[in-house]
Amino acid sequence: MADTASTLESLVVRLSDAPPEGDAAALAALVDFLRPERPERSAQAVARIQELVLLLEERPELRATLRSRLLRLVAARRQVHLYADSGIFANESFGAGLRRRLGNAILPRAVNDKYLRDLIGAAFWKRGDHIWVRRVPEDTWLALHRAITGEGEYDAAALHTIQGELLEALQILSYRIAATGLEPELVRLDPSIEEFESPFLTQNQETMRWIALYRAWLAGGAPPEDDKHIDVLFGQCEEIIERVRRRAQREGASVSLTYHLVRLEQMIERTRMLLALLEPGEDETKRRRAAALLQQVIAAENTRNSLRDYVARNVELLALQVTERGGRAGEHYVTTDSGGYFRMLGSALGAGAVIAVMAMIKILLLDLRLAPLVETAAVCLNYGVGFVLVHMLGFTVATKQPAMTAQTIAATIDRKAGGRQALGPLEDLSVDVMRSQFVAIVGNMAMAFPVALALAWAWFAATEAAVAGPAKARHLLDDLSPVTSLALLHAAIAGVWLFVSGLIAGYFDNLCAYRRIPERLRALRWLRRALGEARAASFAAYVEEHLGAIAGNFFFGVLLGVTPFVGFLVGLPLDIRHVAFSTAHLAFGLADAEQTLSASAFALLLAGLYLIGVVNLLVSFALAINMALRARGTRLRDAGLFGRLWRRFFRSPLEFFVPRRRAAGA
């Protein structure tokens, strides 16, 4: 312990006494000491920060020299880019940002010691530094801040330099907020921005006036008035942002609109932080804003060249764009009462019958021994058209539910609250979703098996040949074994495609609204002449309501059909296993008179079907709910949802399978 304290004291003394050309290395050495062995072990960092706090409290003279040194270290560097850019989306395209990071990954950019953001990036250089910095409790950072500042005099010249940089960053951010707030896409969704005095412009005028008063105060004039009027204007800007977001749910949004809205929120939040830091005096709120800003900029600089972080942020933006509209479609897949429960069962029974026909057509297509590319195209069309037919007939494929209902679940979460405020309704909705999925799976399987058997017997009666010959029937049965085949891996692949099809459905729903496709269809003169005014209007309304679902179903079929062909091209055993199709395959395999199974072998196949269904649902649901939650500012592991559901299952397992009774008058 004594050695640790001695090492820490020597590092603080080194930083306090370092010449200007060596202060960056001294700061990096101190951060190296605070850094835990692994990013997840933030407790180590907390203990070392507490040791530093204790040292500074016991050595007032060391605290004074360190405070003065840190002020001069910051003041000697250009700070504007750190305050105005770090942690805020850059105004660049995805391709430009990707190329820049790829270039930096191959040949790292040179560190310019004259810029504070480069100094922070060099001090927190190790991958994962942002993890432990964010996990260190806010109170620990506040204790360190108080230990460094303490009671004493500040270097007035250095402090004025820092305040000048903060004012310049505030000015830049204010102009950017004004410009972004007048983007054509925002104006399209909220014309009042043009019709009335825009708060985006007014905040710039007020901010510039406040900055001028503040500069006059620094030069010896009267103290500036408070910034409450600017904060009110920012509140009005946020109201417009929320109004645009709500209208975008109805009328569609582009990725660029979503990008502008998130960037506006980031810039407004950063501007409020800078205004708080510029407030005269020292209080707890100011310290907390300083700690939050420090964590943000460290995380931003630590991941500045991270390809993974950049791609993840843009995927989350795309998810936010898609899932804002996906929740509405997902409501149709959730039942809450007995009537809806049995309607879902009937709808799933219908889908099971269609899937049995699709499975038979696929087996017959493969027996034709077509060229691989032609065979793949035929199988894709069989799947794609079949799933579209299922939707158009109003039927339900159980495994299509998770990708849609996950967006409904995520839509109940308050983005700004990190998902914690809505856990009660979220838990109830999740139970409704699971019960709906259970009854849909039961319906699909209960109809697919007998219909497939009936088709096999009818085909044999008509052609005196089995749908699946002995070798094919054996192959169909072997592919269902969870022990001797790759059935569970193939089921996971199908789960991924289920998730992707949900994104495709949300994308086309959004595209339909954003591009105003129904209105453009109604404006087609040749369509009105061909169908008549009433039918043309009905067709446009149908497209508006169902385009996303039709596209999602069709492309889901294409993805299922193309997977084995991709495996053939790359030499990997890629395939898909879907629980409803696998049920039909079991029936076609058993229909062959030469196939005899023992009771244990049949039980193993039933277990395989069960596990295929579980993997289909879990993979698609986990991917969909994780992306929908991340798009709303939280993570799956942080929502606390699964723990609550697990405990509820042990308390009341039946409500996960049958409708719960409603109270009278509910």
Side-chain angles (χ1 to χ4, degrees):
M1 190 71 175
D3 290 341
T4 301
S6 175
T7 302
L8 180 58
E9 182 178 351
S10 65
L11 290 170
V12 174
V13 170
R14 175 186 171 187
L15 178 57
S16 301
D17 298 338
E21 62 272 10
D23 55 6
L27 178 63
L30 181 59
V31 173
D32 287 342
F33 175 82
L34 299 178
R35 180 183 293 114
E37 295 175 2
R38 297 179 59 183
E40 297 79 12
R41 297 178 180 176
S42 57
Q44 291 181 352
V46 171
R48 291 170 182 174
I49 292 173
Q50 289 172 345
E51 290 180 26
L52 177 57
V53 170
L54 183 62
L55 174 66
L56 295 176
E57 289 176 345
E58 293 176 347
R59 301 278 300 277
E61 77 287 355
L62 194 58
R63 174 193 347 215
T65 56
L66 178 62
R67 177 177 61 239
S68 178
R69 190 70 191 90
L70 287 175
L71 273 175
R72 292 198 302 270
L73 179 148
V74 173
R77 289 168 173 82
R78 187 74 170 145
Q79 307 156 44
V80 173
H81 299 294
L82 181 75
Y83 304 141
D85 297 332
S86 292
I88 297 174
F89 286 164
N91 191 17
E92 62 182 358
S93 67
F94 174 75
L98 189 63
R99 287 192 297 273
R100 179 166 58 81
R101 282 166 175 77
L102 280 171
N104 291 338
I106 298 171
L107 187 63
R109 59 188 299 275
V111 176
N112 190 341
D113 190 53
K114 295 180 180 179
Y115 288 87
L116 185 59
R117 68 183 301 183
D118 284 20
L119 174 68
I120 290 179
F124 295 88
W125 58 271
K126 194 169 185 178
R127 182 181 299 177
D129 273 349
H130 65 282
I131 298 175
W132 68 264
V133 168
R134 286 192 180 279
R135 291 188 179 184
V136 170
E138 184 184 48
D139 290 341
T140 303
W141 290 118
L142 291 176
L144 178 60
H145 186 276
R146 283 191 292 267
I148 293 175
T149 55
E151 298 293 335
E153 296 182 357
Y154 289 89
D155 185 327
L159 188 59
H160 282 187
T161 301
I162 294 172
Q163 289 170 325
E165 295 278 332
L166 287 169
L167 290 172
E168 189 174 343
L170 185 63
Q171 183 174 340
I172 291 171
L173 286 169
S174 180
Y175 278 119
R176 288 177 179 171
I177 291 171
T180 308
L182 296 178
E183 284 286 335
E185 287 193 281
L186 272 74
V187 175
R188 179 183 71 85
L189 289 172
D190 192 356
S192 66
I193 296 175
E194 283 186 326
E195 295 172 3
F196 305 101
E197 188 175 20
S198 170
F200 294 105
L201 291 178
T202 308
Q203 65 79 26
N204 179 252
Q205 297 166 4
E206 288 298 317
T207 302
M208 293 303 102
R209 189 175 68 84
W210 189 87
I211 290 173
L213 292 173
Y214 199 97
R215 292 188 188 278
W217 174 60
L218 292 179
E225 61 189 41
D226 61 48
D227 56 13
K228 290 183 179 178
H229 185 49
I230 300 175
D231 192 63
V232 170
L233 290 170
F234 282 147
Q236 294 175 7
C237 292
E238 288 171 331
E239 289 176 4
I240 291 177
I241 291 172
E242 289 305 314
R243 194 158 62 236
V244 169
R245 183 172 278 120
R246 288 194 300 270
R247 291 181 179 175
Q249 293 178 15
R250 300 191 304 270
E251 301 179 27
S254 65
V255 175
S256 62
L257 174 63
T258 307
Y259 182 90
H260 288 318
L261 294 178
V262 175
R263 187 165 180 257
L264 272 172
E265 290 174 333
Q266 291 175 338
M267 290 190 293
I268 290 173
E269 179 191 5
R270 179 62 55 83
T271 304
R272 282 177 166 149
M273 282 185 173
L274 299 186
L275 286 169
L277 293 178
L278 286 165
E279 281 290 326
E282 193 75 28
D283 57 21
E284 194 69 9
T285 302
K286 190 171 183 178
R287 290 192 180 98
R288 290 187 182 277
R289 290 292 179 97
L293 178 60
L294 179 65
Q295 287 179 306
Q296 283 186 14
V297 298
I298 289 175
E301 293 307 312
N302 188 236
T303 59
R304 186 175 175 182
N305 296 318
S306 170
L307 278 173
R308 178 181 177 182
D309 180 74
Y310 181 70
V311 172
R313 282 194 305 170
N314 280 273
V315 169
E316 288 169 13
L317 276 177
L318 179 62
L320 182 58
Q321 175 208 350
V322 170
T323 58
E324 290 291 358
R325 288 184 56 83
R328 185 182 65 177
E331 293 169 1
H332 302 300
Y333 291 84
V334 183
T335 65
T336 58
D337 54 21
S338 297
Y341 184 83
F342 288 108
R343 284 193 296 273
M344 179 69 74
L345 177 61
S347 152
L349 289 170
V354 177
I355 286 174
V357 176
M358 293 165 60
M360 176 178 170
I361 294 173
K362 178 197 171 185
I363 293 171
L364 296 175
L365 283 173
L366 295 180
D367 284 343
L368 295 178
R369 305 293 181 186
L370 302 171
L373 187 59
V374 176
E375 180 181 89
T376 300
V379 171
C380 287
L381 283 174
N382 173 52
Y383 281 144
V385 173
F387 283 126
V388 169
L389 180 63
V390 166
H391 173 77
M392 295 180 71
L393 293 174
F395 298 150
T396 301
V397 179
T399 50
K400 284 291 293 176
Q401 290 175 290
M404 303 302 294
T405 54
Q407 296 164 13
T408 306
I409 290 174
T412 67
I413 294 178
D414 181 3
R415 296 176 66 242
K416 294 182 179 178
R420 290 287 176 183
Q421 291 184 354
L423 277 182
L426 182 63
E427 182 182 336
D428 291 336
L429 179 59
S430 299
V431 173
D432 291 337
V433 167
M434 293 180 181
R435 183 175 57 251
S436 303
Q437 292 176 1
F438 167 75
V439 71
I441 287 179
V442 170
N444 285 170
M445 297 178 68
M447 186 60 76
F449 188 85
V451 170
L453 280 179
L455 288 172
W457 292 333
W459 182 266
F460 184 81
T463 65
E464 296 186 356
V467 172
K472 182 65 176 178
R474 186 73 258 171
H475 180 68
L476 290 175
L477 297 178
D478 289 342
D479 280 347
L480 300 181
S481 171
V483 178
T484 60
S485 74
L486 297 176
L488 299 186
L489 172 63
H490 296 157
I493 295 174
V496 173
W497 294 149
L498 285 160
F499 159 68
V500 172
S501 70
L503 290 182
I504 292 172
Y507 172 79
F508 275 93
D509 266 335
N510 177 76
L511 183 69
C512 181
Y514 182 71
R515 299 295 185 188
R516 299 184 178 275
I517 290 177
E519 291 88 340
R520 293 159 77 171
L521 286 174
R522 294 186 188 101
L524 288 176
R525 294 177 181 175
W526 66 266
L527 184 64
R528 297 202 304 270
R529 286 196 300 268
L531 300 181
E533 294 288 343
R535 287 195 180 94
S538 298
F539 175 72
Y542 185 86
V543 169
E544 181 177 19
E545 184 69 22
H546 298 281
L547 178 62
I550 290 174
N553 278 287
F554 180 78
F555 282 106
F556 175 55
V558 171
L559 290 169
L560 293 184
V562 82
T563 300
F565 182 67
V566 173
F568 167 74
L569 291 178
V570 300
L572 294 175
L574 300 182
D575 207 338
I576 56 95
R577 292 290 175 268
H578 184 279
V579 62
F581 281 95
S582 296
T583 303
H585 288 170
L586 175 63
F588 286 122
L590 293 176
D592 180 63
E594 297 185 18
Q595 303 304 319
T596 56
L597 294 176
S598 64
S600 60
F602 185 70
L604 182 63
L605 295 182
L606 291 181
L609 280 180
Y610 170 77
L611 291 175
I612 287 171
V614 169
V615 172
N616 284 163
L617 292 173
L618 284 183
V619 171
S620 59
F621 185 78
L623 289 172
I625 190 66
N626 186 57
M627 174 164 283
L629 289 172
R630 285 174 66 94
R632 286 162 172 82
T634 189
R635 295 176 183 271
L636 186 58
R637 64 173 177 266
D638 298 332
L641 175 62
F642 286 166
R644 293 172 67 109
L645 289 174
W646 187 253
R647 291 188 294 271
R648 182 162 175 170
F649 179 79
F650 280 101
R651 289 198 312 268
S652 179
L654 277 181
E655 67 176 330
F656 284 76
F657 304 102
V658 296
R660 58 179 182 267
R661 292 184 178 179
R662 299 278 175 178

